[in-house]
């Protein structure tokens, strides 16, 4: 398009073209252009589009008007002497072929010349128009003919408008200072080449971030896997170890590759987008997405690995759906081989799932093929998603991470660190999870059911329930190179290669797993169900009058706002009364009326289910709850006592709840929470001492409710310690101690009426025992028997006396002695 908009006929032509195009077309911007660009209104703006295209310009102009930005078809601010504010990076036009991006636009040269002659700073804004979001395929001529993103030639653009004009996305890149891109030397041609090169790189990276890298044909990819150096060596070794021919070993490797690899197809992605749009709207009142801009900011030029928490089978469907809806490339997803069922497995494979066995142990050929496949995905730039918890959480809290996929990722990066890898932690929070009652049954001892296609019908039957809202929070991205710089500063100078396995790999992988798990927890969403569960489960009889419950909910929300756990945590925007009505409408709490008012009640089955939702946010309140615990048995304490006692027990809580603070940060956080509790009136400070409120006051009731939210964790700690101390040192293995703890917890739950299956969940005891080993409080010998340090009794008793009631301490010691006698 020539500089003709300034004339009457030019404006008439452009206006008619826009009306005709938008009779059919629909477009929307990716993100918030007006807020993201942060343009200086006093400086001229020039928009840059990659290829000469009237339809792209019309769409860009329409989105600029919608965002309240300067229009590209209007003249820029003085002193630029231009009739329009846009530039096509390539000015060449053709009917069939793709324009040559190296054919530079004369207008860019004119603008650059003005800057070199002393013009004010010019703001360049790259604009990319995507006609659909399907990537090209390397080996499919038909797909290449009808590819509709970054199409070249007027004929292909016409086809793009007809076929994909209802799905247009527009991305506004960050503004670039044209003045900053030039050097003091008067070399116009060099400046022009540099500006064009930077813009071409921007457009190429932006295309990859939104539509993904080019897809290889699956047969081509599988064939390439067998030529990887690690796979070729594994094939040779398989043939030698099992006395079979090379061709037979290679055929086995090919079978493994076919079992693993996805068959990513955008037609299935589009189909799933339509189906899932109906499903989410039918199932949920809304899907909230928070901090998605963090992903947009790193999508260009980085290999993104999404690491979500795993609460439901629909986690991976939900995340892929939201990424597509937000104009980001859907990831390839690691899925358990148990999901490779008839029909469902094929759909998941075409939606990006690649399947992995639960264990690779003893199968070196399978391990080599899987590692090579993952390395291929990373090196080609495909986003990847996997769950570091391994399986779905049945208790609502983060599970201890599995390090297998992380170790493969680290080794792949060390093998070829040219493409940056960035981990993106993702928290997915449900107000009601689909599998809630199934999880309850499994915690009570039922055998985990094998997945089947009939599960789909069970999900459909559950649609009659109200599931509320679901939130997806994207946490702070973690660049792998930066993490390695902190953990192993000299990693870049070490000898890298396909078989490189440094001595520090295991420790670094474990630290990476803990860091990512903490980052997921730090992106938690707090919803009304979480807060109601937190409050109601802390009551003695699972009942509280409505007015008091509303005040407790308001107090919890105020505490979480006053001392934010992290800048990624999100909170509900409603008051306590509205939260109660919301949870009541979901039939997750009941109401009883009498002459004195309304009482909110949890029946026993519902109370057990609500522990799941409480556990989603337990880590957010663990420090104030622990401070509150200290004042149940102690009327006053000074700040140094509070700090010392919490520092003593914090490592065990950190291991179970994956808390984010290290030992250096913790004292300041403790003091901040003490200040907040004082400000809220739950504690008071006089003469250098922190006092609890009057025992008959509402503030003490609130403090007691807060303390009870973590009391079961402290009881489990005391149980494990009491059982260790009641047996001769070095007489029990970790498995024996875990079994004894589980039986003891079951007995105590009967004696004290604790109908909470997670209280005797053996997984939690296993994690706690491992934490004791990690902290060197206990040490396993060569036979696996645990030897505890001399100070364990002092640690356990000192903390127990401060935070546990005498009744509970006595009961635990009695049961421990009984177990020894048996």
């Amino acid at each position: 398009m020539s500089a003709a908009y300034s004339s009457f006929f030019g404006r008439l032509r452009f206006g008619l073209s826009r009306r005709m195009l938008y009779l059919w077309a629909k477009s929307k911007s990716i993100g918030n252009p007006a807020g993201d660009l942060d343009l200086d209104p006093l400086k001229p703006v020039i928009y840059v589009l990659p290829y000469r295209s009237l339809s792209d310009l019309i769409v860009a102009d329409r989105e600029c008007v919608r965002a309240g930005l300067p229009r590209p078809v209007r003249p820029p601010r003085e002193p630029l002497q231009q009739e329009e504010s846009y530039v096509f990076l390539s000015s060449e036009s053709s009917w069939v072929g793709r324009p040559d991006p190296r054919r530079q636009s004369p207008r860019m040269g004119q603008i650059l010349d003005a800057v070199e002659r002393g013009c004010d700073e010019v703001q360049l804004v790259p604009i990319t128009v995507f006609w659909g979001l399907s990537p090209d395929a390397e080996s499919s001529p038909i797909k290449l003919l009808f590819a509709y993103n970054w199409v070249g030639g007027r004929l292909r653009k016409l086809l793009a408008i007809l076929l994909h004009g209802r799905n247009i996305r527009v991305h506004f890149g960050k503004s670039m200072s044209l003045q900053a891109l030039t050097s003091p030397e008067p070399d116009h041609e060099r400046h022009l080449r540099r500006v064009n090169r930077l813009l071409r790189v921007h457009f190429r990276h932006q295309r990859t971030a939104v539509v993904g890298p080019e897809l290889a044909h699956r047969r081509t990819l599988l064939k390439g896997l067998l030529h990887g150096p690690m796979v070729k060596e594994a094939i040779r070794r398989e043939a030698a170890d099992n006395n079979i021919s090379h061709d037979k070993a290679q055929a086995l490797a090919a079978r493994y590759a076919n079992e693993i690899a996805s068959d990513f197809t955008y037609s299935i992605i589009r189909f799933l987008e339509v189906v899932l749009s109906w499903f989410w709207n039918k199932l949920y009142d809304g899907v909230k997405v928070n901090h998605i801009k963090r992903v947009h900011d790193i999508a260009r030029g980085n290999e993104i690995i999404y690491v979500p928490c795993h609460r439901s089978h629909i986690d991976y469907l939900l995340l892929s759906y939201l990424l597509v809806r937000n104009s980001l490339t859907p990831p390839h997803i690691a899925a358990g081989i148990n999901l490779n069922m008839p029909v469902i497995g094929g759909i998941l494979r075409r939606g990006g799932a690649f399947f992995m066995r639960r264990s690779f142990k003893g199968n070196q050929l399978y391990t080599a093929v899987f590692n090579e496949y993952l390395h291929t995905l990373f090196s080609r730039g495909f986003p990847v998603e996997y769950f570091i918890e391994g399986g779905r959480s049945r208790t609502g809290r983060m599970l201890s991470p599995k390090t297998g996929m992380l170790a493969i990722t680290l080794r792949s990066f060390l093998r070829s660190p040219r493409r940056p890898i960035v981990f993106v932690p993702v928290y997915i929070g449900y107000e009601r999870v689909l599998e809630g009652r199934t999880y309850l049954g499994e915690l009570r001892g039922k055998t985990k059911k094998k997945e089947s296609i009939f599960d789909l019908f069970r999900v459909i039957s559950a649609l009659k329930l109200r599931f509320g809202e679901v939130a997806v929070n994207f946490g702070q991205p973690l660049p792998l190179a930066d993490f390695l710089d902190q953990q192993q500063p000299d990693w870049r100078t070490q000898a890298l290669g396909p078989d490189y396995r440094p001595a520090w790999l295991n420790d670094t992988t474990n630290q990476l797993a803990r860091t990512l798990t903490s980052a997921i927890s730090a992106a938690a969403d707090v919803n009304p169900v979480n807060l109601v569960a937190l409050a109601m489960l802390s009551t003695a009889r699972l009942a509280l009058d409505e007015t008091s419950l509303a005040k407790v909910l308001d107090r919890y929300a105020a505490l979480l706002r006053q001392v934010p756990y992290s800048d990624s945590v999100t909170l509900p925007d409603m008051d306590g009364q509205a939260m109660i009505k919301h949870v009541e409408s979901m039939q997750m709490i009941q109401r009883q009326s009498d002459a004195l008012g309304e009482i909110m009640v949890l029946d026993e089955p519902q109370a057990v289910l609500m522990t799941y939702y409480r556990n989603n946010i337990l880590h957010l309140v663990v420090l104030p709850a622990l401070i509150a615990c200290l004042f149940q048995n102690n009327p006053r304490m000074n700040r140094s006592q509070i700090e010392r006692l919490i520092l003593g027990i914090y490592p065990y809580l950190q291991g179970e709840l994956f808390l984010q603070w290290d030992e250096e940060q913790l004292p300041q956080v403790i003091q901040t929470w003490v200040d907040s509790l004082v400000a809220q009136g739950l504690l008071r400070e006089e003469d250098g001492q922190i006092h609890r409120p009057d025992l008959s006051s509402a503030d003490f009731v609130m403090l007691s409710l807060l303390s009870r939210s973590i009391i079961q964790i402290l009881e489990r700690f005391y149980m494990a310690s009491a059982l260790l101390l009641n047996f001769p040192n070095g007489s029990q293995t970790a498995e024996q101690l875990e079994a004894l703890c589980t039986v003891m917890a079951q007995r105590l739950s009967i004696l004290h009426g604790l109908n909470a299956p997670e209280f005797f969940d053996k997984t939690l005891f296993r994690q706690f025992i491992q934490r004791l080993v990690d902290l060197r409080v206990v040490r396993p010998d060569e036979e696996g028997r645990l030897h505890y340090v001399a100070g364990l009794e002092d640690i356990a008793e000192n903390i127990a006396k401060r935070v546990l009631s005498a009744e509970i301490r006595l009961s635990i010691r009695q049961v421990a002695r009984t177990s020894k006698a048996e």
Side-chain angles (χ1 to χ4, degrees), residues 144-248:
L144 282 172
L145 178 62
F146 293 103
Y148 50 87
N149 31 255
W150 281 42
V151 293
R154 296 175 184 175
L155 180 60
R156 291 173 66 196
K157 180 55 68 73
L158 178 61
L159 290 173
I161 293 172
L162 295 174
L163 295 174
H164 309 293
R166 311 289 287 180
N167 185 25
I168 308 172
R169 309 283 175 91
V170 182
H171 180 269
F172 290 78
K174 289 187 177 180
S175 64
M176 306 177 183
S177 167
L178 188 55
Q179 194 174 43
L181 297 178
T182 61
S183 59
E185 293 80 13
D187 192 339
H188 178 80
E189 291 301 320
R190 182 180 177 186
H191 293 163
L192 186 59
R193 286 195 302 271
R194 181 171 185 239
V195 170
N196 278 274
R197 183 176 67 254
L198 290 173
L199 287 168
R200 285 197 301 270
V201 169
H202 166 87
F203 286 125
R204 184 170 66 250
H205 285 171
Q206 187 58 46
R207 174 192 181 278
T208 302
V210 174
V211 302
E214 292 182 345
L215 288 173
H217 194 281
R218 190 169 186 268
R219 286 195 302 271
T220 305
L221 187 146
L222 296 182
K223 187 177 179 181
L225 289 181
L226 303 183
H227 295 292
M230 295 177 65
V231 176
K232 289 170 71 175
E233 173 59 24
I235 291 172
R236 185 198 64 75
R237 200 163 47 241
E238 180 77 13
D241 293 347
N242 295 291
N243 197 24
I244 59 176
S245 67
H246 180 275
D247 290 344
K248 193 170 182 179

Side-chain angles (χ1 to χ4, degrees), residues 701-712:
V701 172
M702 173 65 195
L703 196 70
S704 299
L705 288 176
L706 184 59
S707 71
R708 290 177 196 150
S709 60
I710 65 161
I711 203 70
Q712 290 181 5

Side-chain angles (χ1 to χ4, degrees), residues 327-375:
S327 303
L328 289 160
T329 307
H332 289 245
I333 308 161
I337 195 69
N338 57 309
L339 293 179
N340 192 16
M341 301 174 285
V343 182
I344 299 297
I347 293 175
L348 293 177
R349 194 184 292 275
R350 287 172 176 79
F354 59 93
F355 296 100
M356 57 187 293
R357 299 181 180 182
R358 290 299 182 189
S359 175
F360 299 0
K361 190 174 182 180
N363 194 335
Q364 294 182 348
L365 181 58
Y366 181 89
T367 302
V369 172
F370 186 87
N371 289 359
E372 188 65 28
Y373 177 72
L374 209 60
H375 180 71

Side-chain angles (χ1 to χ4, degrees), residues 13 233 321 435 491 498 566 691 780 793 818:
R13 172 184 175 235
E233 173 59 24
Y321 168 80
E435 301 95 330
W491 70 273
S566 78
H691 298 256
E793 184 172 8
T818 303

Side-chain angles (χ1 to χ4, degrees), residues 283-334:
L283 189 64
Y284 296 113
D285 296 337
V287 179
K288 299 184 296 184
V289 183
N290 299 301
H291 316 306
I292 188 70
K293 187 177 182 298
R294 292 171 175 172
V295 186
H296 282 295
D297 289 344
I298 63 167
R300 291 193 303 110
N302 291 303
E303 163 63 24
I304 297 180
I305 298 178
Y306 297 96
V307 281
C309 62
H310 201 7
R311 302 286 162 79
S312 170
H313 269 318
I314 63 174
D315 291 341
Y316 38 79
L317 296 175
L318 178 61
L319 182 55
S320 293
Y321 168 80
L322 290 177
L323 292 172
V324 170
R325 298 289 286 183
N326 284 275
S327 303
L328 289 160
T329 307
H332 289 245
I333 308 161

Side-chain angles (χ1 to χ4, degrees), residues 558-572:
L559 284 170
L560 292 173
R561 287 191 181 94
Q562 193 168 6
V563 187
Y565 186 86
S566 78
D567 59 1
S568 299
V569 170
T570 50
L571 299 171

